[in-house]
Amino acid sequence: MNEELSLRDIRLQKLAKMRELGHDPYLVERFERSHSAKEMLEGFEEGKQIAFAGRVVSFRLMGKAGFAHISDGEAKIQGYFRKDDLGELGWDLYNLLDLGDHVGITGYLFVTKTGEKSIHVQTLTPLNKSLQTLPLGKEKDGQVFYGLSDVDMRYRHRHLDLICNAEARKALIQRMKMTSAVRRFMDSKGYLEVETPMLQMEAGGAAARPFLTHYNAYDLDVKLRISLELYLKRVICGDIPKVYEIGRVFRNEGVSNRHSPEFTMFEFYEAYSNLEDMMALVEEMFVHIATEVFGTTQVHISSDPNEEVTEGVASETGVVLDFGKPWKRLDLLTAIEDLAGVRREELADLDSARKAMERVGLPIEKENNLGGIIEKLLEKFVEPTLIQPTFLIGYPIETSPLAKKDPSNPKMTRRFEGYVRGRELCNAFSEINDPIDQRERFEQQVAERAKGDDEAHPLDEEFLFALEGGMPPCGGCGIGIDRMAMLLTGADHIREILLFPTMRPVQTVQTEE
RNA sequence: GGGCCUGUAGCUCAGUCGGUAGAGCAGCGGCCUUUUAAGCCGUUUGUCGCGGGUUCGAGUCCCGCCGGGCCUACCA
């Protein structure tokens, strides 16, 4: 044959030959399937007549017969193709197939001599021609050979990853299921899902640098939102008592294995309730998510991605997270006393707090407020110990500018964070509804900003105006969906649970100009 | 942002002391009507990330740039 042809050209030629035979795979619009691969394998009935469609992912040709595995994405099943059964045309089409093509087949179920549940194919309909050589691996006893392992390519061309890597596919699908499980749970609790602006004059509700963009119609510089909080509370001020939003927020900060510049926040607010109600709701929500996505409240997370995971059963390299029990509740300052060996009296003023920090071996140069020191101690000594679901309660006022003061200790707030596997999972509090208090907190933040903290909260007059109109007492909670997905899938990189993670563009040498 | 590592065929990778690039899979041509990492025979494929430099000669050594990974710093 022509040796100058590229792999793509060869496939185009096969396409042309299919058309000469009277079958144009691109003209086919639909194919009625009776079963998925999983359904056939699980409810296997020898001799049953079926119709199935999927992608050809492996081939073994043997003269006038052959085997091919066909995957519908979820699972794959082997087809047995014989010239005698397919006829001249069918057999010719079979010989024009490439790995990666989609086909529709009809036939009946049988078991091969070597014991594999298979389809004895009677008709073959090519449904597509793949023009590229897909990096499909070979497989034996669950071990995959060759295949796609270049992480750069996996992230930039995610469709290839979804086709070729079952583990990657599984984690991404679990993430999608988590989001929809959250929605179902919130809807069932009578919450309304709302949508609030992404383009904002002042991006508030969190401590982060925003992205900037421009609004042409109003000739206005605007920012992309960094949280959902302030708008959602304005909805609470409007007497819609239970609201949530799941949506993308944007923070113009560093990229790392746990940080993506755009990520998905989930926040919910409920009038007439406080942080204890939020804890109860979070506990119940995780029972729901774990049950829907993993089928159990005992979720097994393994640090070894190749390990065969059985939910609810522990292993050497994994941990079983038990969402079935109430979460542990710890007072933040008590936890620091116990684990860092720093007494709460030492954290009463800045000087003694800095000394204590130095004593336990932490750098103190940048610390100029008590809240920052407390959070450093927490991060270093407490967080790593919080493996099973735990609520840490009582956060310092300096780092909690939207949380109600604790009446028993005005330096602390009515705020908690949930931790699992040593990582923060949610952040919640009884929301400030005193507009005077809130204004003072914002002003402290503005002062911080003046001192050079460019991530301090801006003052939001519209929000304060709404608070002055009157907000009922209210509990609120935020959960980073990406972090939650990482936690529950065992992903060690945030890109593993984002379909299309932000990547630096590859510079092309030659562009058409 | 800082430190360390890395980029070779469609995919997974090897390439020694600097001597002009290789294997397996995929592909192509044969044989084979229950194979399964099918097998057997034959065979094709490269901007060695990009650009400079040293050298008679660079995938290999040096410099710069681009992409990626890990650790670290900020955060969710």
Side-chain angles (χ1 to χ4, degrees), chain A residues 196-429:
Chain A
T196 62
M198 290 204 185
L199 299 176
Q200 307 180 346
M201 298 298 296
E202 271 304 344
R209 270 170 302 192
F211 283 90
L212 307 175
T213 186
H214 188 77
Y215 208 137
N216 283 342
Y218 298 150
D219 189 21
L220 204 60
D221 289 327
V222 290
K223 296 167 180 166
L224 271 65
R225 66 181 176 188
I226 59 171
S227 87
L228 315 174
E229 178 144 2
L230 301 184
Y231 275 100
L232 289 179
K233 282 195 268 195
R234 283 164 69 176
V235 180
I236 297 287
C237 289
D239 289 336
I240 297 181
K242 297 166 89 169
V243 296
Y244 76 97
E245 180 168 7
I246 295 174
R248 209 69 61 85
V249 301
F250 308 85
R251 298 190 183 177
N252 210 342
E253 294 172 342
V255 177
S256 79
N257 66 331
R258 292 176 205 179
H259 298 85
S260 170
E262 53 176 302
F263 64 100
T264 303
M265 270 305 297
F266 162 43
E267 293 187 24
F268 51 96
Y269 294 84
E270 179 167 345
Y272 314 113
S273 57
N274 68 359
L275 81 171
E276 274 83 16
D277 297 305
M278 293 294 107
M279 286 186 223
L281 196 70
V282 168
E283 283 175 335
E284 194 181 340
M285 184 188 306
F286 274 83
V287 169
H288 178 85
I289 295 170
T291 308
E292 273 211 12
V293 179
F294 300 97
T296 171
T297 54
Q298 316 255 103
V299 180
H300 182 185
I301 309 297
S302 175
S303 53
D304 175 4
N306 294 319
E307 183 180 335
E308 193 69 23
V309 166
T310 309
E311 296 304 342
V313 179
S315 72
E316 294 276 319
T317 52
V319 58
V320 173
L321 300 174
D322 190 354
F323 293 103
K325 292 189 292 203
W327 294 29
K328 241 188 302 178
R329 285 159 166 78
L330 293 178
D331 175 71
L332 173 56
L333 289 182
T334 308
I336 288 177
E337 289 192 323
D338 292 348
L339 294 162
V342 175
R343 284 171 298 114
R344 63 183 66 211
E345 297 77 44
E346 296 179 88
L347 297 171
D349 70 86
L350 190 58
D351 275 346
S352 66
R354 283 167 65 100
K355 279 183 193 136
M357 205 178 167
E358 202 163 23
R359 191 184 74 227
V360 298
L362 292 179
I364 57 167
E365 307 86 54
K366 287 190 288 181
E367 304 307 332
N368 54 15
N369 73 63
L370 281 173
I373 292 177
I374 291 171
E375 297 219 347
K376 277 278 157 32
L377 291 168
L378 154 71
E379 208 174 289
K380 183 76 181 178
F381 295 101
V382 182
E383 279 189 13
T385 71
L386 306 178
I387 305 304
Q388 290 300 323
T390 304
F391 293 124
L392 268 189
I393 304 157
Y395 276 69
I397 193 162
E398 295 92 337
T399 55
S400 314
L402 300 161
K404 271 191 179 178
K405 285 175 190 158
D406 184 342
S408 66
N409 179 356
K411 289 182 173 172
M412 304 300 281
T413 59
R414 295 277 292 152
R415 171 182 167 194
F416 75 84
E417 290 195 347
Y419 286 86
V420 182
R421 277 180 79 209
R423 306 241 183 107
E424 181 191 337
L425 184 61
C426 63
N427 176 24
F429 32 90

Side-chain angles (χ1 to χ4, degrees), chain A residues 57-70:
Chain A
V57 293
S58 75
F59 259 140
R60 284 169 300 284
L61 278 157
M62 307 167 16
K64 295 182 177 58
F67 291 88
H69 275 103
I70 297 165

